Amino acid sequence: MKPTYSFILPIFNEEETLAETHRRLTDVMDDLQAPGEIILVDDGSRDRSLEMMRGLRQSHSSVRYVSLARNFGHQIAVTAGLRFAQGDAVIVLDADLQDPPELIPQMIEKWRQGYQVVYAQRILRRREGLIKRALAYLFYRVLRLLTDVDIPSDTGDFCLMDRQVVDVLNALPERGRYLRGLRAWVGFRQIAVTFEREPRFAGEVKYTFRKSLSLAADGIISFSRVPLRIASYLGLLVAAFALMMIVLVVYWRIFHPVTPLVGYTIVTASIFFLSAVQLLCLGILGEYLGRVYDEVKGRPIYIVKEVAGLAASGT
């Protein structure tokens, strides 16, 4: 029977949370009174997660899983799940229970009202450090300022998407997947459902600062050309500064030949300033060029190692 709902959970070293996540999600599914499937995407876990997924598959017919050949990253794992999902409504949530399954009925109700994308918006982050909350708050506001796409603030990948939206996302050819940005870019009728984000149920946080920073860079570079414009503006600023310094140096040489401002100090400061601007601009260009390089190589964005209960899907 074709499922009405598909639940996609990317898994990376979640042996401590997987059983509880499945129990709570199953309780929600039982109340929906419609066929559903749970798609667990193993993103190269190094603990017992895959073994537990096999056990859940044997004891619950609604559980399917796909295991990737290595750790390709959270966004790619969700992408793999989207390409295998068959439901009329597809719900993406993390397995650490920071995305509460109990919110799903509210999202489904909005979907039944005609909304094609229902995203969960955080209004409170419990037990997170002040610095992390401040950086997250700042990032979403900067992202909205830099991009032409209206990407909702304080949202993650926890969402419900209509079949039509999922088909559009699966058809997009780009390899750098910032899914919450792509979800906003495709359009359709969208609405938020607010919730208070709880801490992890168990285990260690998988999204380290380095991974979060990389995801933030992907979001900005994938949806904004403003950094390239900033590089151009810096070039114009440096050119104006250099022209001004030429005029001043000529003036000092003619009218104040013994001034201490003309010498090694000003030359050294100018060299450091120009070098910093050049390196910054090269770094910005390198980020964009690296994305182009990844796109043109044409490698599959993920490789499947093992599948159970799912039809074959392209990579």
Side-chain angles (χ1 to χ4, degrees):
M1 182 182 297
K2 183 179 182 297
T4 302
Y5 304 108
S6 294
F7 302 89
I8 299 173
L9 291 85
I11 307 293
F12 179 65
N13 296 341
E14 295 289 358
E15 65 176 355
E16 296 174 296
T17 65
L18 188 54
E20 178 65 14
T21 300
H22 176 262
R23 183 191 68 78
R24 287 173 57 177
L25 184 56
T26 301
D27 289 343
V28 172
M29 291 177 62
D30 290 341
D31 294 334
L32 295 179
Q33 298 180 346
E37 62 177 357
I38 300 175
I39 301 177
L40 305 174
V41 184
D42 173 42
D43 189 22
S45 296
R46 294 185 291 269
D47 61 1
R48 295 178 54 252
S49 294
L50 180 56
E51 179 183 341
M52 295 177 66
M53 290 161 60
R54 293 182 182 127
L56 289 173
R57 168 61 186 167
Q58 291 177 356
S59 57
H60 298 84
S61 60
S62 62
V63 174
R64 297 93 157 85
Y65 71 84
V66 53
S67 178
L68 305 184
R70 64 170 176 84
N71 179 248
F72 286 90
H74 182 273
Q75 300 294 288
I76 300 303
V78 175
T79 298
L82 291 175
R83 292 184 177 175
F84 280 100
Q86 299 295 317
D88 298 324
V90 178
I91 298 96
V92 178
L93 69 161
D94 289 338
D96 55 11
L97 293 177
Q98 288 187 288
D99 298 339
E102 293 76 15
L103 191 67
I104 292 174
Q106 292 181 238
M107 303 170 80
I108 291 176
E109 181 60 31
K110 295 294 184 182
W111 174 62
R112 288 173 176 166
Q113 293 173 10
Y115 292 97
Q116 293 160 292
V117 175
V118 184
Y119 53 86
Q121 190 168 42
R122 299 180 288 263
I123 58 175
L124 180 66
R125 294 169 177 259
R126 297 186 182 274
R127 299 184 191 177
E128 289 190 358
L130 178 61
I131 294 178
K132 184 176 181 179
R133 293 200 308 268
L135 289 176
Y137 178 88
L138 181 63
F139 162 69
Y140 284 111
R141 274 71 189 172
V142 170
L143 181 63
R144 294 194 71 179
L145 181 65
L146 294 181
T147 62
D148 296 329
V149 180
D150 186 16
I151 301 175
S153 300
D154 304 315
T155 60
D157 296 313
F158 187 21
C159 68
L160 179 151
M161 293 179 286
D162 184 79
R163 178 79 255 164
Q164 185 179 7
V165 177
V166 174
D167 289 341
V168 171
L169 289 177
N170 287 339
L172 294 178
E174 64 188 86
R175 307 163 56 75
R177 313 288 286 192
Y178 183 67
L179 290 172
R180 64 199 71 171
L182 293 175
R183 187 180 68 205
W185 180 84
V186 298
F188 299 97
R189 293 190 66 197
Q190 305 200 11
I191 193 172
V193 172
T194 59
F195 76 108
E196 296 181 2
R197 193 183 195 198
E198 297 289 341
R200 283 184 60 90
F201 175 77
E204 298 180 353
V205 176
K206 301 304 186 295
Y207 248 109
T208 62
F209 177 77
R210 181 179 62 84
K211 290 182 178 180
S212 298
L213 187 62
S214 176
L215 182 64
D218 287 341
I220 292 174
I221 292 173
S222 296
F223 291 92
S224 177
R225 289 177 291 178
V226 172
L228 292 173
R229 294 172 184 165
I230 291 176
S232 300
Y233 296 153
L234 284 173
L236 292 174
L237 177 63
V238 169
F241 177 77
L243 181 61
M244 180 182 68
M245 291 307 302
I246 291 173
V247 173
L248 289 176
V249 169
V250 171
Y251 171 80
W252 287 329
R253 280 298 185 186
I254 295 175
F255 298 101
H256 303 281
V258 295
T259 178
L261 294 175
V262 180
Y264 291 109
T265 302
I266 193 169
V267 171
T268 303
S270 300
I271 290 174
F272 278 119
F273 177 70
L274 291 173
S275 298
V277 171
Q278 288 174 344
L279 289 174
L280 175 62
C281 294
L282 285 175
I284 293 173
L285 290 173
E287 287 291 334
Y288 282 90
L289 184 60
R291 267 59 178 186
V292 175
Y293 177 63
D294 286 338
E295 294 289 338
V296 300
K297 282 189 295 188
R299 295 175 184 170
I301 60 176
Y302 61 85
I303 298 174
V304 175
K305 178 177 66 175
E306 181 179 342
V307 177
L310 294 165
S313 173
T315 58

